[in-house]
Amino acid sequence: MAGKLYLCATPIGNLEDITLRVLRTLKEVDLIAAEDTRNSIHLLNHFDIRTPMTSYHEYNKIEKAYQLAEKIRSGMNVALITDAGTPGISDPGEDLVRICYEQGIEVTSLPGPAACVTALTLSGLPTRRFSFEAFLPREKKERAAVLEELKTDTRTLIIYEAPHHLISTLKDLNFALGERRIVVCRELTKRFETAFRTTFSEAIAWYEANEVRGECVIVIEGCDRAALVREQQRSWERMTVAEHLEYYTSQGMDRKAAMKQVAKDRGVGKREVYQQLLVSDK
């Protein structure tokens, strides 16, 4: 009989946040795959867990995933833990899960702490719709492309950042997204937990004058939908009706359908669009 892969969420700071189910599973499995065994040993020792550990991290994630999958297929039960939080969220665990599914291995996830959800619920910003971006890319072109996509996203945005990159990331976000309400969460679930409700410009000024400590989660209000519609309306108004029509017909839309869409965009009747096109054609 093949074993099973258990994705076990571990505390992001406060050790009391671990679940009874995770504790039992970590004691019962045959092997624990940990992102950093030197870090995880403190957690296991605290709860008197003696299960053998092996390392599974960004630099061995593919080769080691196949090795772990083979062990599971041979009958071993393996638990995957990350340094903090839920495996597979912004860490190499997603590759192990994918490879296990490719090989027909059963996978289950034991829910628990996740910094992104903790920060979102703590922020006071809308929670019904949100987008988790984890760490922004470091490569300039890729980073710029992601920021361009986020510019018109109306969902609440969640971004991770290390303390030594926080100021530069806040500046990039402010430049790309404009001034917005944000919440910078630090030291979540720990003694010095903070949720700094502020704006980009205020946060930049504060952190330039004060040392940043601890891993950060930035929660950002989404683009205002009404403002987005107004800006789109202004962009149409900067075009002539003929140019507006050409915008759609150049994409393969037939003229009748294009005229209907132009009228809708500009908030006028089709007859008015038709009359303006007649004038421009003379």
Side-chain angles (χ1 to χ4, degrees):
M1 291 287 290
K4 184 188 294 188
L5 174 67
Y6 295 83
L7 307 177
C8 295
T10 53
I12 58 177
N14 194 319
L15 293 181
E16 293 180 358
D17 291 335
I18 200 164
T19 70
L20 295 174
R21 184 182 175 203
V22 166
L23 287 176
R24 177 178 57 78
T25 300
L26 292 179
K27 290 177 180 179
E28 292 179 353
V29 294
D30 302 295
L31 181 67
I32 297 172
E35 185 175 7
D36 187 336
T37 56
R38 296 166 301 179
N39 178 70
S40 296
I41 192 63
H42 300 297
L43 174 73
L44 300 189
N45 285 343
H46 181 83
F47 291 107
D48 195 28
I49 297 170
R50 304 302 177 187
T51 306
M53 269 197 301
T54 188
S55 62
Y56 177 76
H57 48 71
E58 182 65 28
Y59 302 103
N60 71 356
K61 62 182 182 181
I62 302 301
E63 179 184 1
K64 192 60 173 284
Y66 283 106
Q67 293 175 12
L68 290 171
E70 183 60 34
K71 291 180 183 296
I72 297 171
R73 289 177 62 191
S74 71
M76 291 181 68
N77 289 310
V78 175
L80 176 67
I81 61 175
T82 183
D83 281 349
T86 301
I89 301 295
S90 190
D91 83 349
E94 63 180 309
D95 293 290
L96 176 57
V97 172
R98 173 180 55 80
I99 289 169
C100 282
Y101 278 130
E102 288 173 353
Q103 300 200 16
I105 293 170
E106 186 178 356
V107 179
T108 189
S109 182
L110 283 59
C116 54
V117 175
T118 304
L120 175 66
T121 56
L122 186 62
S123 71
L125 293 174
T127 60
R128 187 176 69 84
R129 299 172 63 250
F130 62 92
S131 173
F132 175 55
E133 286 295 325
F135 290 90
L136 290 176
R138 292 287 167 220
E139 197 278 319
K140 287 185 177 180
K141 286 187 178 179
E142 187 180 358
R143 188 181 184 92
V146 170
L147 289 171
E148 184 64 27
E149 291 176 0
L150 297 181
K151 188 183 298 184
T152 56
D153 195 330
T154 58
R155 297 170 294 181
T156 299
L157 307 175
I158 306 170
I159 290 173
Y160 287 167
E161 193 49 276
H164 55 287
H165 288 307
L166 179 63
I167 294 174
S168 61
T169 293
L170 289 172
K171 288 180 177 179
D172 286 348
L173 288 165
N174 191 18
F175 180 80
L177 308 183
E179 188 69 295
R180 296 198 190 174
R181 291 185 300 156
I182 67 170
V183 182
V184 181
C185 298
R186 297 173 44 256
E187 299 289 274
L188 287 170
T189 76
K190 300 178 184 178
R191 181 181 178 186
F192 297 107
E193 173 184 280
T194 60
F196 183 20
R197 292 173 56 81
T198 181
T199 63
F200 280 129
S201 58
E202 290 175 352
I204 292 166
W206 171 263
Y207 288 118
E208 284 183 331
N210 297 273
E211 183 182 4
V212 185
R213 294 182 179 179
E215 296 299 310
C216 304
V217 184
I218 310 167
V219 187
I220 309 162
E221 71 174 341
C223 177
D224 181 69
R225 191 181 299 275
L228 193 62
V229 171
R230 288 194 297 271
E231 177 56 34
Q232 184 64 71
Q233 187 72 29
R234 284 193 291 269
S235 71
W236 297 135
E237 291 170 355
R238 287 191 286 269
M239 293 182 179
T240 66
V241 172
E243 290 170 339
H244 198 161
L245 184 73
E246 172 63 20
Y247 171 80
Y248 286 118
T249 57
S250 65
Q251 297 179 49
M253 189 179 289
D254 68 72
R255 186 177 175 85
K256 184 176 180 181
M259 287 177 62
K260 183 178 180 180
Q261 187 61 49
V262 169
K264 182 179 179 181
D265 289 344
R266 301 174 87 90
V268 300
K270 288 186 289 183
R271 182 178 293 276
E272 184 175 336
V273 170
Y274 179 71
Q275 291 296 332
Q276 290 190 46
L277 287 171
L278 285 178
V279 172
S280 65
D281 289 340
K282 289 182 179 179

